[in-house]
């Protein structure tokens, strides 16, 4: 029930009984999905419910006259044609396995049985033909009931215990990056933040902290290991939170939490709870000293443990342990956002503290982009229509993506081709570049690029029953402000405009001449439909970073970007 299509239909259906969920689960698949609008309209009295024979009401009433389950057909075959339970089950198997030949053999027996019971042969023939079509998508109610019950339980948990539920489901998908990313985004959407790992708060799995936020589990980090997690969690439980990175290194078991584990914890941000160091310092070393920050810390930890062991075995064990000087960790510049995110993805498989597209939220919002998840959903819908033999019109999409991996390859025939592995907030996708596309777009085969990709979903040239996403144009996402912006339109109520906003816009237009028009619409307080347009025919502006940040923060502005045909 988590797909957008199913959620759309459920909102329209307004289910008020468990049977509605069972039916929707059986209907929302290729074939029967076409009956969902009828099911909804019949439930709400907008469409008349009719039966081919009055006797059919007994078994079809619960689904508003629409045959949804195999069990309904089994029961009706017994009632209308006198089938035995064994024959009805043979009919069910034939339907479930789409054995059309077996169904054809059973047709004469069905029609003869109906005739003996006094039913109109023409109507019975129609019923059989309906069932024959039904055979291609029949679903058994018992199976659908189990799915619907699990869906109901999880929906209840998600509604009433959202943080705990999402933490549990993300723990269940620790090793499935695509699903984990999906659920992390879903968690944010419902208002439950997902925080990165933290040695002072994280457990093995995803957990909910005292503030009701989800904390990433240490077991989800590559290179850390169960023994290291056990040691960190147990030490924290027994002796309290770690006060600093130096306190941490003195208290943990360095055989369990070794150098490799320390590196992975630092890359993930698990040490960010300490103010002593930033992430880059753990890996930095001066030119004249090959020791990294982590190596200095591990050496300090070993010295502390050795000193403690020595004092415990000494005749003077009760004496105070001599203090060991804290290691000096050299200063260096912090990692850039992109470096930090890539390090996180290296050890967690996903971005934890942000996303490479975070700096482009304005573009993604205003330049008609489609998410990868939405593209996938729409391609699946179009693929269903293509398989049903329906004509498919070419449909254009614009993607804003980050290139996680780019491959340049040579086929067995010696032809060069490329592969782009891209992702956005909602998922990942593989895009192939063959022949002329490779020649045209090969310069974008570089990991780390942030791209705007225009493409079209269309039937394949020699296999029209299949569809494909064909790339039409690629450019850097940085460039679209200047290449696509035709006019910037701002709508606001006249009374909400401040002198500071007017001054900023006037100065920004003056300082950033360009090729885009600018128009400000002011509406009347009492009648929003009454508005005037303020624009400068002489002043044209270039969409610039200051303007973007300004527009993104003005809550009283309704911003619209008109685009050209580039």
């Amino acid at each position: 029930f988590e797909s957008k299509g199913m959620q759309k239909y459920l909102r329209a259906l307004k289910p008020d009984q468990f049977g509605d969920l069972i039916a929707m689960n059986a209907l929302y698949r290729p074939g029967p999905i076409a009956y969902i609008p009828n099911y909804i309209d019949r439930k709400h009295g907008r469409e008349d419910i009719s039966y081919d024979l009055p006797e059919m009401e007994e078994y079809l009433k619960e689904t508003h006259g629409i045959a949804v389950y195999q069990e309904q057909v089994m029961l009706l075959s017994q009632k209308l044609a006198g089938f035995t339970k064994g024959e009805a089950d043979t009919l069910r198997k034939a339907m479930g396995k789409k054995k059309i030949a077996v169904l054809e053999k059973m047709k004469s027996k069905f029609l003869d049985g109906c005739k003996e019971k006094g039913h109109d042969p023409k109507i019975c023939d129609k019923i059989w033909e309906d069932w024959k079509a039904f055979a291609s998508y029949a679903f058994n109610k018992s199976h659908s009931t189990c799915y619907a019950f699990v869906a109901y339980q999880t929906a209840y948990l998600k509604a009433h215990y959202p943080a705990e539920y999402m933490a549990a489901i993300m723990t269940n998908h620790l090793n499935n990056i695509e699903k984990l990313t999906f659920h992390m985004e879903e968690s944010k959407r419902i208002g439950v933040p997902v925080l990165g790992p933290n040695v002072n708060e994280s457990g093995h799995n995803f957990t909910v902290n005292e503030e009701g936020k989800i904390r990433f589990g240490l077991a989800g980090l590559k290179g850390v290991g169960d023994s290291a997690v056990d040691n960190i969690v147990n030490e924290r439980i027994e002796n309290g939170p770690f006060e600093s990175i130096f306190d941490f290194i003195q208290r943990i078991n360095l055989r369990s939490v070794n150098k490799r584990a320390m590196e992975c914890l630092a890359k993930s941000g698990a040490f960010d709870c300490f103010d002593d160091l930033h992430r880059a310092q753990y890996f930095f070393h001066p030119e004249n000293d090959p020791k990294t920050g982590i190596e200095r810390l591990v050496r300090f930890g070993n010295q502390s443990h050795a000193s403690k062991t020595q004092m415990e075995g000494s005749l003077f064990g009760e004496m105070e342990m001599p203090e060991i000087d804290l290691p000096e960790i050299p200063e260096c510049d912090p990692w850039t956002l992109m470096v930090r995110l890539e390090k996180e993805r290296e050890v967690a498989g996903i971005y934890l503290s942000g996303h490479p597209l975070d700096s482009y939220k304005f573009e993604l919002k205003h330049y008609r982009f489609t998410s990868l998840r939405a593209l996938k959903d729409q391609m699946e819908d179009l693929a269903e229509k293509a398989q049903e033999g329906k004509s498919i019109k070419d449909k254009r999409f614009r993607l804003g993506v980050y290139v996680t991996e780019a491959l340049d390859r040579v086929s067995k025939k010696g032809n060069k081709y490329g592969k782009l592995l891209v992702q956005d907030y909602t998922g990942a996708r593989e895009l192939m570049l063959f022949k002329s596309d490779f020649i045209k777009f090969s310069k974008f085969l570089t990991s780390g690029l942030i791209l705007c990709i225009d493409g079209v979903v269309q039937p394949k040239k020699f296999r029209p029953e299949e569809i494909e996403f064909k790339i039409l144009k690629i450019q850097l996402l940085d460039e679209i402000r200047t290449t696509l912006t035709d006019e910037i339109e701002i709508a606001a109520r006249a009374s909400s405009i401040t002198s500071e906003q007017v001054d900023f816009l006037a100065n920004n237009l003056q300082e950033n001449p360009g090729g885009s028009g600018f128009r400000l619409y002011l509406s009347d307080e009492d009648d929003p439909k009454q508005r005037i347009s303020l624009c400068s025919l002489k002043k044209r502006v270039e969409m610039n970073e200051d303007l973007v940040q300004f527009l993104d923060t003005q809550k009283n502005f309704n911003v619209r970007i008109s685009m050209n045909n580039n």
Side-chain angles (χ1 to χ4, degrees):
F1 291 163
E2 68 187 15
S3 74
K4 288 185 178 179
M6 175 65 97
Q7 290 176 356
K8 178 188 72 174
Y9 284 128
L10 284 172
R11 289 189 185 99
L13 177 65
K14 297 179 175 61
D16 55 7
Q17 56 185 320
F18 185 49
D20 286 335
L21 300 184
I22 302 172
M24 288 296 288
N25 189 68
L27 286 168
Y28 192 76
R29 291 175 300 110
I33 195 170
Y35 291 95
I36 291 180
N38 303 93
Y39 185 90
I40 294 172
D41 286 342
R42 291 184 181 191
K43 176 180 173 63
H44 295 294
R46 295 189 293 267
E47 181 179 307
D48 292 335
I49 300 174
S50 60
Y51 305 93
D52 291 321
L53 294 172
E55 291 82 356
M56 299 176 75
E57 181 175 359
E58 179 183 356
Y59 298 122
L60 295 185
K61 185 176 181 179
E62 66 169 331
T63 52
H64 311 300
I66 298 171
V68 175
Y69 312 116
Q70 291 176 348
E71 288 91 337
Q72 289 173 314
V73 173
M74 291 170 67
L75 291 167
L76 286 170
S77 67
Q78 294 173 66
K79 185 169 186 175
L80 300 180
F83 273 27
T84 65
K85 290 183 178 180
E87 290 169 334
D89 191 51
T90 300
L91 179 60
R92 176 194 65 79
K93 290 178 182 178
M95 286 185 166
K97 297 181 180 179
K98 301 176 177 61
K99 294 183 177 180
I100 305 300
V102 177
L103 291 172
E104 288 294 341
K105 290 180 181 179
M106 300 187 77
K107 181 178 180 179
S108 58
K109 184 174 181 61
F110 174 79
L111 293 178
D112 290 343
C114 288
K115 188 176 181 180
E116 288 179 14
K117 287 182 173 285
H119 300 308
D120 187 332
K122 290 184 179 180
I123 294 177
C124 294
D125 187 70
K126 174 190 177 297
I127 292 171
W128 182 264
E129 290 303 315
D130 288 343
W131 286 0
K132 187 177 173 182
F134 177 81
S136 64
Y137 62 79
F139 203 75
N140 62 77
K141 185 179 181 181
S142 56
H143 199 154
S144 186
T145 301
C146 296
Y147 275 118
F149 187 51
V150 171
Y152 180 82
Q153 289 174 310
T154 53
Y156 178 90
L157 292 172
K158 186 176 179 182
H160 297 283
Y161 304 95
E164 290 78 4
Y165 170 75
M166 295 306 297
I169 201 169
M170 284 188 274
T171 294
N172 194 47
H173 292 302
L174 261 179
N175 298 316
N176 187 324
I177 298 303
E178 186 172 350
K179 286 193 173 183
L180 183 58
T181 302
F182 171 83
H183 290 298
M184 286 183 71
E185 288 301 321
E186 174 66 7
S187 184
K188 293 175 187 176
R189 187 191 68 79
I190 64 175
V192 181
V194 181
L195 307 176
N198 180 328
V199 292
N200 265 337
E201 196 169 74
S202 294
H204 279 75
N205 301 322
F206 285 83
T207 53
V208 180
N209 65 15
E210 293 179 356
E211 298 173 352
K213 299 176 182 178
I214 296 174
R215 180 64 74 176
F216 197 96
L218 297 178
L221 301 176
K222 300 173 187 174
V224 176
D226 289 339
S227 62
V229 179
D230 286 337
N231 184 245
I232 293 170
V233 173
N234 291 337
E235 171 61 29
R236 191 178 71 215
I237 292 172
E238 292 173 11
N239 299 305
F242 303 105
E243 296 179 3
S244 68
I245 187 61
F246 305 108
D247 179 46
F248 176 85
I249 204 71
Q250 287 178 301
R251 288 168 53 184
I252 49 95
N253 184 334
L254 287 167
R255 286 191 297 273
S256 298
V257 189
N258 55 27
K259 176 188 170 186
R260 166 70 173 152
M262 288 282 293
E263 289 174 342
C264 294
L265 289 166
K267 288 177 181 178
S268 73
F271 294 143
D272 287 0
C273 53
F274 306 132
D275 296 329
D276 312 276
L277 309 173
H278 57 72
R279 297 187 201 183
Q281 285 179 275
Y282 290 98
F283 301 91
F284 175 74
H285 64 83
E287 291 184 5
N288 59 350
D289 189 342
K291 292 187 182 66
T292 64
I294 285 180
E295 288 170 335
R296 292 167 187 263
L297 288 168
V298 170
R299 183 181 179 187
F300 167 71
N302 284 326
Q303 289 174 340
S304 297
H305 287 294
S307 177
K308 184 178 180 181
T309 303
Q310 185 178 357
M311 290 302 295
E312 288 173 349
S314 167
L315 291 172
F316 308 100
E318 293 185 2
M319 292 179 62
E320 202 170 300
M321 189 172 70
E323 190 171 324
I324 300 174
D325 292 337
L326 298 179
E328 291 186 11
I329 310 297
E331 293 286 341
C332 66
D333 292 331
W335 283 338
T336 63
L337 172 65
M338 294 306 300
V339 171
R340 188 177 79 236
L341 294 177
E342 280 303 317
K343 298 293 184 184
E344 290 174 358
R345 193 169 73 93
E346 181 184 323
V347 295
I350 55 177
Y351 305 114
L352 299 171
S353 61
H355 194 280
L357 294 176
D358 283 348
S359 299
Y360 299 88
K361 288 185 177 179
F362 182 87
E363 286 84 349
L364 296 176
K365 178 180 179 181
H366 293 287
Y367 288 81
R368 298 178 201 158
F369 282 93
T370 300
S371 70
L372 290 177
R373 187 190 303 158
L375 174 67
K376 179 182 177 183
D377 291 343
Q378 294 200 47
M379 287 187 69
E380 287 176 354
D381 290 342
L382 293 172
E384 289 176 11
K385 292 179 181 178
Q387 290 168 7
E388 293 169 1
K390 298 177 181 177
S391 61
I392 304 299
K393 293 182 180 180
D394 293 353
K395 196 167 184 180
R396 294 189 64 158
F397 294 93
R398 176 172 292 144
L399 310 175
V401 294
Y402 174 68
V403 180
T404 57
E405 189 175 0
L407 302 174
D408 187 335
R409 294 287 184 263
V410 178
S411 68
K412 292 180 180 179
K413 294 182 179 180
N415 298 318
K416 280 195 166 189
Y417 69 93
K419 181 188 295 185
L420 283 170
L421 299 177
V422 300
Q423 68 169 237
D424 65 6
Y425 290 106
T426 65
R429 189 173 188 86
E430 181 182 279
L431 301 174
M432 303 299 296
L433 299 174
F434 295 110
K435 298 180 180 179
S436 60
D437 287 344
F438 176 80
I439 296 171
K440 193 187 305 182
F441 303 124
S442 59
K443 65 180 180 180
F444 295 105
L445 284 170
T446 304
S447 298
L449 292 182
I450 297 178
L451 304 176
C452 170
I453 300 177
D454 287 286
V456 60
V457 173
Q458 60 186 19
K460 289 185 178 180
K461 188 172 182 180
F462 298 108
R463 285 177 291 179
E465 73 280 1
E466 297 180 17
I467 62 168
E468 63 179 353
F469 177 77
K470 179 174 175 55
I471 296 175
L472 301 177
K473 182 181 180 181
I474 302 180
Q475 60 183 316
L476 297 177
L477 196 50
D478 276 329
E479 298 174 350
I480 70 168
R481 293 178 185 173
T482 52
T483 60
L484 295 182
T485 307
D486 183 48
E487 188 171 73
I488 305 157
E489 299 177 14
I490 300 173
R493 293 194 173 186
S495 60
S496 71
I497 296 289
T498 66
S499 58
E500 289 81 6
Q501 290 173 326
V502 173
D503 290 342
F504 174 87
L505 291 172
N507 291 333
N508 191 272
L509 266 64
Q510 181 71 31
E511 296 169 3
N512 298 277
S516 302
F518 180 86
R519 191 180 296 268
L520 174 63
Y521 291 100
L522 298 181
S523 62
D524 186 85
E525 188 71 27
D526 298 322
D527 186 2
K529 293 182 179 180
Q530 295 295 325
R531 65 179 192 172
I532 59 171
S533 171
L534 305 177
C535 69
S536 173
L537 298 178
K538 295 180 180 179
K539 293 286 183 183
R540 297 181 70 81
V541 67
E542 179 178 294
M543 180 66 84
N544 56 85
E545 188 62 33
D546 288 340
L547 182 57
V548 166
Q549 291 184 7
F550 174 78
L551 295 177
D552 220 21
T553 56
Q554 306 307 303
K555 294 182 179 179
N556 61 323
F557 283 178
N558 182 15
V559 180
R560 181 175 177 271
I561 306 297
S562 297
M563 284 174 277
N564 54 40
N565 296 322
N566 288 343

